[in-house]
Amino acid sequence: MSQAHTKRDRLALITETIAAHRKHDRDRVVFETDTARLEYADRTIAIDVSDGARERLDAVLASFPVFKIEQPATRTAPTGTVHIAAIADPKHTADFIERIFRDVYQHGPGYELRV
């Protein structure tokens, strides 16, 4: 398991992990903290959200127009798992994932990310 504590290190870890995932065609990758997790697989990000987190996710999605919710049913679901199409390069995807942990899950700047 790899981990990172600074934004720079987290972005590098996410970017490298996604690039390796794509190169080796792995099943899925789990990015997690003590209180939150998301899965990346086949250019899709799956995250679990509550009502408040869903509203924060919508705000992050507005800042990253290349990332779109994949399933129409999840657009109106107040809670549950949301699947987001991540058809972007690993660096851009890393920026998006960092924002999910910071803005959606409301982690502070020094949070520990594990892969």
Side-chain angles (χ1 to χ4, degrees):
M1 179 180 297
S2 298
Q3 57 188 345
H5 297 87
T6 67
K7 180 178 179 180
R8 181 175 158 228
D9 291 345
R10 288 189 302 266
L11 289 173
L13 178 61
I14 297 167
T15 301
E16 291 166 8
T17 301
I18 290 173
H21 168 81
R22 290 180 181 176
K23 181 178 181 181
H24 300 293
D25 196 30
R26 295 185 183 146
D27 287 337
R28 68 185 174 100
V29 177
V30 175
F31 297 97
E32 64 184 352
T33 67
D34 288 338
T35 59
R37 66 179 275 156
L38 64 81
E39 292 184 11
Y40 176 89
D42 194 27
R43 296 182 188 252
T44 299
I45 297 169
I47 67 171
D48 291 325
V49 293
S50 63
D51 290 337
R54 177 55 198 257
E55 291 174 13
R56 294 187 299 272
L57 174 61
D58 289 341
V60 171
L61 286 167
S63 299
F64 288 85
V66 70
F67 295 91
K68 308 261 188 242
I69 293 176
E70 277 194 323
Q71 299 170 337
T74 63
R75 288 183 190 272
T76 58
T79 61
T81 302
V82 177
H83 298 272
I84 301 166
I87 313 296
D89 63 272
K91 165 99 176 62
H92 198 77
T93 304
D95 290 336
F96 181 70
I97 290 173
E98 172 71 7
R99 285 281 302 277
I100 287 174
F101 281 107
R102 290 296 311 276
D103 295 356
V104 176
Y105 292 127
Q106 298 181 314
H107 289 342
Y111 77 91
E112 177 186 84
L113 179 68
R114 296 180 304 274
V115 178

